[in-house]
Amino acid sequence: MKILVCIKQVPQKDAPLRLNEQGTWIRDDVSWETNEPDAFALEEALRQKEKHGGEVVAITAGPARAQQVLREALAKGADRAIHLEDERFAQMDAANTARAIAAAIGLEDGGGNFDLIVTGLQSDDFGAAQTGVLLAEILGVPHATIIIGIEKTDGGLKLKRELEAGNYQHIEMPMPAVLTIQSGINKLRYATLIGIKQAKMKPLKKLAWTDVEAKLSPHMQRIERLYVPESRKQTKRIEGPAGEAAKQVVEYLKNEARAL
Amino acid sequence: MADTILVVAEQREGKLNRVSFETIAAGQAIGRETGWAVEVVLPGAGQAAGELAKKAVARVMALEGESLRAYTSDAYVAALKAFIAERQPKLVLFPHTYQVRDFAPRLALALERTLIADCTGYKYEGGKLLFTRQMFQGKFAADVSFGGDAPWMATMQTGAFRGDSAADGTAPVETVAAAESAPRVTPHEVFQEAKQTVDLSQAETIVAVGRGIKEQKNLALAEELAKALGGEVAASRPICDNGWLPLDRQIGSSGQTVAPKLYVALGVSGAIQHIVGMKGSRTIVAVNKDPEAPIFEIADVAVVGDLFQVVPALTEEIKKAKA
Ligand SMILES: Cc1cc2nc3c(=O)[nH]c(=O)nc-3n(C[C@H](O)[C@H](O)[C@H](O)COP(=O)(O)OP(=O)(O)OC[C@H]3O[C@@H](n4cnc5c(N)ncnc54)[C@H](O)[C@@H]3O)c2cc1C
Ligand SMILES: Nc1ncnc2c1ncn2[C@@H]1O[C@H](COP(=O)(O)O)[C@@H](O)[C@H]1O
């Protein structure tokens, strides 16, 4: 199986985020990491390759700093990587991200010929949950979302989808296909020292904005402003030493909430 | 272009998904400000359309066809694409369900339009419609506008509008034949995994742990607190994914929905998928070291601090109070 994994670099989970002066985006002087479900998508791709042979290619669209997520993917076992490198890739809407990735696929030898494309089910920053689905539409191939199990069959794929409230469903579809992967589908591996060393020798192809620009369209949605959401409740805030805080919580539970 | 808001309702095996009423409520609210009429379409089995017709909407359309009997993204995209292209509503609203996540982005692109996903509200400013959605895992909210022409499309987060606030009325029901297609996806039956061994919906007190607990062995801290309170231990998804607690103790959209008298969240950030499973709790106490953790927005008591210090102290105080 020839598999493409879409990996996005997002602010680290614990990073304190601050707004830019215009209030339209965050200040990007934070630490970054691989979007969590994308790490599971990569792991799944590596496991499929280990079972069925083939190649795993990692792709990201983002500024120079995003190369780090590709380096990690290569260190974990991806065979090669593609970096759509430009500041402008960082804030695109999901449709244009998908178009840029589709364009990069088109620039591969023989038009890519990926049997399988995997993405995370959503990004931690945008949370659009759209890029993979849109990529499938652009490529004209079937897709499935929130996947927690992949089995290759003679005719294609047998997949396990997660549904709401503890429900699941198996579905089948032919390849090529795009799947969006749910966190927890597998157990992540760590990069080994040898892996990190080998990664430096693996091919990393860079594509510029101008390589794919013709395939992009005007943004169809725009963030007008970004702000800290208002609290929906009267919240009692307790700070300070743990012993004191604990006393105040118990007071509240006894006297105000009557929950003790 | 018709001045209408089309609400896409959801059913599975003929049973209406109640979040459809929340989306109708959202449509009615927008309709009151814009003057646009609300219409509802229900793809798939028609029998649930009658329930929708008891709401104050202009009409309910049951979109029926062989290929819509069991859900597949291919069939839904094909049928709704033809339907929307013909009717040209101004706005199309969906509930942000797993099913909608699966087909709506593709539908929007097939219509050369865009979808603003997982919205918590809207704003109508000077004739311009904006949708508000969470970003950065709930740390920020964004007001998002549409760049291109209608039909504009948006999905509404579960709980953003109250289903019981949807105004009642009587609407005519029409059956519309769906454009047929040959889906590439073969769906099988929906099923549940192994039987539940604990019913958290009955628990009066729940102590939930999140990734802030760091290591499996630290779960003991939460267990002691739960014991002191006479409650059950539950968790966010990553804890159950790690296998530290069984799946039937996972709270959230893909796990259990609970509404105990007291919900204590330890090191849980408060992602929307967790919150939908517990926000009905009567009293919510959250302990988190991040003063801006989104969980604090819905908490009654927000303890800003290190859970490894706060929790043992809290357990002691509760034991004292109960003694
Ligand atoms: C389709 C879908 C379905 C999902 N279903 C569910 C679901 O059913 N249930 C669910 O829970 N999630 C679900 N999720 C995942 C959800 O989006 C979040 O990723 C998850 O809830 C985060 O879990 P967490 O809060 O434990 O971890 P994190 O988000 O990593 O938060 C950890 C928190 O601990 C705090 N912390 C760290 N150390 C300490 C300390 N020493 N003291 C105090 N606080 C500390 C941090 O400040 C942080 O706020 C779903 C996601 C998707 C996309
Ligand atoms: N800039 C990007 N580069 C590579 N992959 C991306 C990018 N943006 C989104 N993706 C992929 O699309 C998934 C869904 O993102 P989103 O639609 O933003 O929620 C992510 O989990 C990634 O796998």
Side-chain angles (χ1 to χ4, degrees):
Chain A
M1 273 209 263
K2 190 173 169 191
I3 308 175
L4 182 72
V5 190
C6 302
I7 304 180
K8 185 176 194 182
Q9 192 186 43
V10 296
Q12 223 163 43
K13 274 213 160 53
D14 278 358
L17 303 179
R18 283 175 303 156
L19 293 173
N20 66 10
E21 266 164 44
Q22 304 81 0
T24 51
W25 198 243
I26 57 157
R27 293 177 49 160
D28 60 5
D29 51 348
V30 294
S31 12
W32 301 87
E33 65 185 3
T34 295
N35 186 46
E36 184 167 48
D38 304 2
F40 287 96
L42 169 68
E43 177 66 41
E44 201 52 34
L46 295 173
R47 287 178 186 218
Q48 293 299 329
K49 179 194 148 179
E50 280 154 13
K51 256 189 237 154
H52 307 291
E55 186 187 21
V56 172
V57 182
I59 186 167
T60 198
R65 59 167 161 77
Q67 199 193 96
Q68 180 58 23
V69 302
L70 297 178
R71 289 277 165 222
E72 278 168 31
L74 294 171
K76 286 184 171 184
D79 298 290
R80 57 190 178 88
I82 306 170
H83 188 176
L84 284 153
E85 185 183 330
D86 197 286
E87 284 293 334
R88 283 167 283 187
F89 287 125
Q91 271 188 59
M92 291 199 300
D93 66 19
N96 269 333
T97 304
R99 285 192 185 94
I101 293 172
I105 293 171
L107 290 170
E108 287 277 280
D109 287 343
N113 291 322
F114 289 101
D115 301 300
L116 189 63
I117 298 172
V118 285
T119 73
L121 84 170
Q122 68 186 51
S123 55
D124 275 356
D125 51 0
F126 272 62
Q130 297 203 41
T131 306
V133 180
L134 296 173
L135 182 57
E137 174 67 14
I138 294 165
L139 298 173
V141 302
H143 79 272
T145 54
I146 321 193
I147 297 305
I148 54 162
I150 301 177
E151 201 184 304
K152 186 174 176 294
T153 60
D154 292 339
L157 298 164
K158 184 173 182 205
L159 307 165
K160 188 175 173 190
R161 282 190 71 204
E162 176 183 300
L163 303 178
E164 279 119 341
N167 288 303
Y168 301 94
Q169 183 183 32
H170 285 118
I171 61 173
E172 287 173 82
M173 61 171 59
M175 287 194 279
V178 178
L179 306 178
T180 82
I181 305 297
Q182 170 66 296
S183 293
I185 180 176
N186 48 40
K187 290 267 167 285
L188 300 179
R189 74 190 61 191
Y190 292 99
T192 60
L193 270 177
I194 298 179
I196 295 167
K197 246 192 206 150
Q198 284 172 343
K200 297 196 177 106
M201 264 95 80
K202 289 180 176 171
L204 195 158
K205 173 164 96 178
K206 288 195 184 183
L207 294 175
W209 180 261
T210 46
D211 291 323
V212 298
E213 192 178 10
K215 294 285 164 70
L216 305 180
S217 79
H219 283 315
M220 288 199 290
Q221 47 180 280
R222 198 181 115 115
I223 296 172
E224 301 278 341
R225 52 187 105 93
L226 198 65
Y227 49 92
V228 178
E230 317 84 61
S231 179
R232 278 163 269 178
K233 242 182 175 176
Q234 276 281 4
T235 303
K236 182 181 167 71
R237 267 196 183 247
I238 301 177
E239 291 174 54
E244 269 314 301
K247 282 205 181 83
Q248 287 183 51
V249 174
V250 171
E251 278 299 301
Y252 181 93
L253 292 180
K254 260 206 314 220
N255 302 329
E256 284 175 71
R258 300 189 186 283
L260 279 188
Chain B
M1 177 79 41
D3 279 350
T4 55
I5 300 170
L6 181 70
V7 169
V8 180
E10 178 167 313
Q11 55 80 30
R12 195 163 72 207
E13 285 154 10
K15 201 167 165 282
L16 192 68
N17 186 338
R18 316 292 303 172
V19 294
S20 303
F21 293 118
E22 297 182 9
T23 317
I24 290 176
Q28 288 174 339
I30 297 171
R32 279 191 289 274
E33 288 195 54
T34 57
W36 304 338
V38 179
E39 302 185 335
V40 183
V41 61
L42 179 68
Q47 63 261 41
E51 267 187 89
L52 297 165
K54 293 184 193 141
K55 295 295 158 191
V57 296
R59 59 168 62 80
V60 175
M61 293 160 285
L63 186 62
E64 291 195 18
E66 197 53 44
S67 64
L68 296 182
R69 271 173 200 278
Y71 168 80
T72 64
S73 51
D74 283 344
Y76 267 53
V77 169
L80 283 166
K81 180 184 170 189
F83 182 80
I84 292 168
E86 193 195 306
R87 301 195 69 91
Q88 291 291 319
K90 272 254 164 57
L91 178 68
V92 186
L93 291 180
F94 308 80
H96 190 73
T97 60
Y98 281 39
Q99 185 164 302
V100 166
R101 291 172 61 124
D102 196 54
F103 77 83
R106 192 160 188 160
L107 170 64
L109 192 59
L111 287 160
E112 293 173 42
R113 292 296 183 273
T114 193
L115 175 79
I116 303 180
D118 207 6
C119 302
T120 54
Y122 73 93
K123 292 183 176 126
Y124 190 55
E125 292 175 352
K128 192 167 167 186
L129 200 50
L130 303 175
F131 280 88
T132 305
R133 59 187 306 275
Q134 295 178 311
M135 294 191 78
F136 298 95
Q137 298 267 298
K139 287 181 190 131
F140 295 112
D143 291 340
V144 187
S145 63
F146 292 99
D149 295 329
W152 300 304
M153 308 173 104
T155 69
M156 305 306 299
Q157 187 169 91
T158 305
F161 284 79
R162 291 180 59 110
D164 56 15
S165 75
D168 291 333
T170 43
V173 178
E174 299 163 22
T175 302
V176 180
E180 287 295 332
S181 60
R184 294 162 291 189
V185 182
T186 312
H188 295 283
E189 294 297 302
V190 172
F191 63 96
Q192 294 241 328
E193 218 91 285
K195 266 270 149 270
Q196 267 175 244
T197 55
V198 50
D199 184 6
L200 291 181
S201 66
Q202 300 303 317
E204 293 208 339
T205 299
I206 291 176
V207 175
V209 294
R211 195 143 40 183
I213 200 81
K214 299 270 176 343
E215 286 181 65
Q216 184 169 16
K217 65 171 175 23
N218 299 333
L219 282 177
L221 282 176
E223 277 154 9
E224 279 159 39
L225 178 59
K227 204 168 134 212
L229 285 166
E232 293 282 349
V233 175
S236 67
R237 179 177 185 123
I239 302 298
C240 299
D241 279 348
N242 283 346
W244 296 356
L245 279 175
L247 249 170
D248 52 6
R249 290 186 186 266
Q250 178 182 312
I251 305 297
S253 61
S254 46
Q256 309 295 314
T257 300
V258 295
K261 283 192 180 147
L262 176 61
Y263 192 92
V264 185
L266 309 174
V268 175
S269 61
I272 181 62
Q273 295 86 4
H274 186 81
I275 288 180
V276 294
M278 46 66 77
K279 68 170 178 210
S281 308
R282 201 164 77 194
T283 301
I284 298 170
V285 177
V287 182
N288 200 303
K289 66 169 189 197
D290 175 3
E292 265 133 46
I295 188 87
F296 287 156
E297 279 165 49
I298 57 142
D300 298 283
V301 181
V303 185
V304 184
D306 182 354
L307 75 88
F308 296 105
Q309 294 180 6
V310 175
V311 176
L314 190 55
T315 307
E316 275 320 300
E317 283 301 321
I318 284 162
K319 279 188 190 154
K320 269 196 241 160
K322 286 205 161 182

